[in-house]
Amino acid sequence: MLKKLLISLLVALSIITFSEFDTGRFIEELSYKITQTPAPAKIPVGILSENGCALPMGMTYDEVLSSFGDPMDVLVSEYGFFWNIFHENFQNYIQIGVSDNRVVGIYTNSPRFSFRGITVGTPMADVNMILETPITSILKGNTRYKMESMNKDQTNMELFHEDGMYITVFYDVFKNNSVTAIHIIDYETEQSYDRLYGEGTPELQESFELQNYYVTNALRVREGLPALFYRKDVESVARAHSAEMAENDYFSHTDLSEGTVADRVKQSGIYFRAVGENIAMGAQNSLYMHELLMNSEGHRKNILADFKEVGMGVAFSAGDVPYLTQNFIG
């Protein structure tokens, strides 16, 4: 969520739709020899309501299960806590992060959430009246992590710090900078995360892939589109491309050995009438990659296009920088 962002636009060819997103260095680390400010005193935090259920930060896991039922999936986060995934055929989508039996993180793009009166569609101006002044950096020890929007002319997200929480509000620039999702991490969890990126384990790889798939479908369903069917063979093609980019330090739709996405999918024996590809790298996690991709016309076109199937592939560089490939099949 923290770093300087860059964006590149759609590249299209025939029935094959290409879209690139290169954040460059998504997290900009600035070191200062300054004294760390003390943590704010613990005070009652706000409530996020989803599907009629109150969800305070610090809620116990048993209370989560009582309110939301059993999760559809449980996936590790880069922070080390576990995301509990809840949805009903990708409606009312919410991720609830749990560590030591208490809620420490929340992400949702559901139109039914409400956080202090902020919902999907709330104008940015109203958010700033409710949450007041956004912050541009987070100080952790002697290191300051700076947040900048991916485009000087667009505010795609804002970060707020209050009531023991770091709150990231994502905006949809194609809908007049109205709210499209919200991500909340409690103060202690964020402060204890002293890495630029999570350790690139196989578990985190699968987690990022599935989270990206879930939020993509949640967004499609919210927009009145059918959910995409997940294909493991398409995932394998996407993973291979992400791995080659990560290992060889390049960023392109054209593979070093097998050519375009159409070439790669065809050589894998997968039939298609249309194929599309989005690639991204450098964001802290795949939730942020999704939100940033949706604010570029080319990426958005692929995500909301009339494809039927999809596979997500994540790989990590030697420095744990995540690379994401989304392959869409029609």
Side-chain angles (χ1 to χ4, degrees):
M1 77 182 180
L2 303 172
K3 193 177 178 182
K4 189 175 290 183
L5 311 178
L6 300 173
I7 189 77
S8 58
L9 298 178
L10 172 72
V11 179
L13 176 63
S14 186
I15 62 169
I16 304 168
T17 306
F18 301 97
S19 187
E20 298 185 8
F21 175 63
D22 183 357
T23 62
R25 286 177 50 85
F26 187 74
I27 301 179
E28 181 182 30
E29 183 179 25
L30 303 175
S31 296
Y32 295 94
K33 293 182 178 179
I34 54 180
T35 303
Q36 182 181 7
T37 55
K42 284 290 183 181
I43 57 176
V45 301
I47 303 297
L48 186 147
S49 298
E50 166 65 23
N51 201 18
C53 298
L55 180 61
M57 198 68 72
M59 186 179 192
T60 69
Y61 188 53
D62 287 342
E63 291 171 331
V64 169
L65 297 180
S66 177
S67 296
F68 292 85
D70 293 331
M72 301 292 291
D73 206 345
V74 179
L75 302 170
V76 69
S77 74
E78 69 274 18
Y79 291 92
F81 66 72
F82 286 89
W83 284 117
N84 291 255
I85 313 296
F86 299 90
H87 65 86
E88 299 136 27
N89 296 318
F90 301 106
Q91 298 183 64
N92 306 322
Y93 185 83
I94 189 168
Q95 298 186 192
I96 302 175
V98 176
S99 178
D100 294 328
N101 198 41
R102 68 184 187 92
V103 173
V104 296
I106 300 166
Y107 167 89
T108 181
N109 62 3
S110 169
R112 298 185 66 176
F113 87 78
S114 176
F115 177 73
R116 302 190 186 175
I118 299 169
T119 64
V120 168
T122 298
M124 182 190 301
D126 290 356
V127 172
N128 282 268
M129 290 180 63
I130 296 169
L131 297 179
E132 299 181 354
T133 305
I135 62 176
T136 59
S137 63
I138 296 178
L139 180 63
K140 301 181 184 182
N142 291 330
T143 300
R144 185 177 296 278
Y145 298 84
K146 187 176 181 182
M147 178 176 182
E148 294 184 12
S149 184
M150 69 180 181
N151 189 310
K152 291 181 180 179
D153 301 321
Q154 297 175 334
T155 301
N156 310 101
M157 64 183 105
E158 289 184 310
L159 175 65
F160 301 88
H161 176 212
E162 59 176 68
D163 292 352
M165 299 178 288
Y166 290 104
I167 306 155
T168 303
V169 180
F170 295 100
Y171 301 105
D172 189 334
V173 302
F174 294 94
K175 295 186 177 181
N176 300 315
N177 272 353
S178 59
V179 173
T180 185
I182 192 167
H183 181 271
I184 305 172
I185 299 292
D186 87 330
Y187 178 88
E188 293 178 356
T189 300
E190 184 62 60
Q191 284 290 320
S192 66
Y193 182 68
D194 58 358
R195 298 171 56 94
L196 294 178
Y197 301 102
E199 184 179 356
T201 63
E203 292 77 16
L204 191 62
Q205 175 189 40
E206 181 179 36
S207 174
F208 280 4
E209 290 167 347
L210 289 176
Q211 286 182 68
N212 194 252
Y213 170 64
Y214 294 152
V215 297
T216 295
N217 267 347
L219 191 282
R220 283 178 60 90
V221 170
R222 193 182 86 187
E223 296 297 309
L225 299 170
L228 298 168
F229 178 76
Y230 198 78
R231 288 184 56 167
K232 295 292 289 185
D233 54 352
V234 178
E235 174 195 277
S236 296
V237 176
R239 270 190 181 185
H241 187 56
S242 289
E244 183 167 283
M245 289 190 294
E247 291 168 6
N248 294 282
D249 191 25
Y250 79 96
F251 188 72
S252 173
H253 289 288
T254 303
D255 194 285
L256 294 180
S257 58
E258 297 184 359
T260 68
V261 58
D263 296 328
R264 285 180 264 118
V265 171
K266 185 176 181 180
Q267 289 169 16
S268 297
I270 299 170
Y271 172 78
F272 63 91
R273 292 181 179 178
V275 61
E277 179 171 89
N278 286 346
I279 58 176
M281 59 81 63
Q284 179 178 330
N285 58 51
S286 59
L287 296 176
Y288 282 83
M289 289 186 188
H290 166 76
E291 298 299 342
L292 295 169
L293 289 170
M294 278 298 295
N295 275 313
S296 171
E297 185 175 1
H299 310 95
R300 187 186 190 94
K301 180 179 178 182
N302 277 343
I303 292 171
L304 300 180
D306 189 26
F307 291 114
K308 307 299 181 185
E309 301 165 325
V310 72
M312 313 299 192
V314 168
F316 300 92
S317 72
D320 291 321
V321 178
Y323 286 70
L324 168 70
T325 300
Q326 300 175 322
N327 284 160
F328 302 90
I329 302 295

